[in-house]
Structure formats: structure tokens, C-alpha cells
Amino acid sequence: MTDQDKKGLVPGLLKGMGTTARAMTRHAHTQEYPDVSPRLPPRSRGVIALEESNCTSCMLCARECPDWCIYIDSHKETVPPTTEGGRERKENVLDRFAIDFSLCMYCGICIEVCPFDALFWSPEFEYAETDIRDLLHEKDRLGQWMATVPAPPALDQGAPASPQPSDVGGSTEPPETEQPAP
């Protein structure tokens, strides 16, 4: 070892020991997870929850899923007319809705494409299993997570109000506009 190498070794060793001493005097930010639950940010993505009553078995979520991890089975039932003289209607009835979380990459495409608001992000993250085959969750388990879905955020101050049911598709007449004075 040359004299030049020895001169570079001592300052480097002292600098490393100084870094270690500073780290030892600082408070650690370690969270003791199993004993203390973490504070998650609002609207965290944890697991996908299902509102079964909103699902019409349209299969959009299953078709758009890049991992093909959503399985849907349904059948059609005849619904009697709601008014006298009406006709019977066919309605899809959801038999099975399952998500295989061992395949899911949590991209959220299924939630975005659902036109009936049947899928939501739940902040629940403690759903680990000891066997990978148990990560296939059926509609009853997905429905239990709906209780943990947070309410949507409030509208912004300047946002227009959502249309009332009477405003949507009710009138075929154009809205009245003020005519300029002649």
C-alpha cells in the first residue's frame, strides 16, 4: 500500500464512522405494523370490492382486464311486467363473480370501465393467504369489502350540480332562451 492510498483511507474511514454516528442518534421511523395499524392516505388502493346489486353481468370488466383474472357467470330470468298491459322483460342474474388476486395487477381498469358503479377500490390490504389458490375471491367476499369503501370526495366549489332525475331525458322541447330585444 502506497502513502497516497494510506492518506485516502483514513479520511474515508472517519467519514464513514461519522455517518454511522449520525444515524445512531436519529429517531427511527419504523412502523411496528402488526401491532400498530398504518395510517393510509385517503382513497388508497387495496383490494377491489363488489356492489353486487349494481352488477348487470355486462362483462365489460372481464373483457377489459389485461390479466383475465375476473370470472363472471350469469343467466337470464324473465321479469313480470311492472304495469298492466306491459310486457315481460329479460334480466341478467349474477351467478358468480370472482377475482383471482394472484393474477390481478391492481391496474383499476375494471373499476374505470364499469358503467354501473359495481366495482370500487377498498383500502383493505390485509387479505393474504397461505395458499395461492385461496386468492380467488368470490362475490360474497368481495361484497364484504364494500363496508370499507370510503365515500366519494365532495364536489368542487365551482362544479355544476349533477342533473336531477326529472332533467334527464324528460322533455323533448329545447330549453327556453332569452330573446334579444328588437
Side-chain angles (χ1 to χ4, degrees):
M1 195 178 244
T2 65
D3 287 337
Q4 189 69 13
D5 291 339
K6 288 180 186 177
K7 289 180 184 177
L9 179 69
V10 173
L13 186 62
L14 290 176
K15 184 177 179 183
M17 290 176 70
T19 302
T20 303
R22 279 193 305 277
M24 288 176 53
T25 59
R26 291 186 189 148
H27 175 68
H29 296 285
T30 304
Q31 294 179 356
E32 299 177 10
Y33 163 64
D35 300 326
V36 179
S37 294
R39 288 189 344 217
L40 299 174
R43 311 296 294 173
S44 295
R45 289 183 176 192
V47 70
I48 298 168
L50 170 70
E51 181 66 47
E52 188 177 346
S53 61
N54 291 355
C55 184
T56 62
S57 306
C58 68
M59 308 290 249
L60 279 175
C61 56
R63 276 186 265 150
E64 295 296 323
C65 179
D67 292 331
W68 292 83
C69 64
I70 300 175
Y71 309 102
I72 301 174
D73 292 328
S74 65
H75 69 277
K76 291 190 182 286
E77 283 186 359
T78 304
V79 178
T82 55
T83 60
E84 187 175 330
R87 65 183 180 112
E88 294 181 337
R89 305 265 181 192
K90 297 282 186 183
E91 184 178 274
N92 283 334
V93 177
L94 186 65
D95 294 328
R96 178 180 187 224
F97 191 103
I99 299 177
D100 190 348
F101 286 106
S102 66
L103 298 175
C104 183
M105 63 181 188
Y106 303 91
C107 63
I109 292 174
C110 57
I111 296 169
E112 292 175 16
V113 300
C114 181
F116 302 104
D117 289 333
L119 297 172
F120 297 91
W121 281 116
S122 167
E124 187 68 35
F125 64 93
E126 296 173 321
Y127 57 96
E129 301 289 344
T130 57
D131 188 2
I132 195 168
R133 293 172 289 199
D134 294 334
L135 285 172
L136 178 67
H137 296 303
E138 298 289 337
K139 65 181 178 180
D140 56 341
R141 177 94 186 260
L142 297 173
Q144 291 173 355
W145 285 319
M146 277 305 296
T148 63
V149 173
L155 292 176
D156 292 337
Q157 287 290 357
S162 60
Q164 299 299 319
S166 61
D167 297 342
V168 179
S171 175
T172 57
E173 298 176 16
E176 292 182 24
T177 57
E178 291 185 26
Q179 298 294 328

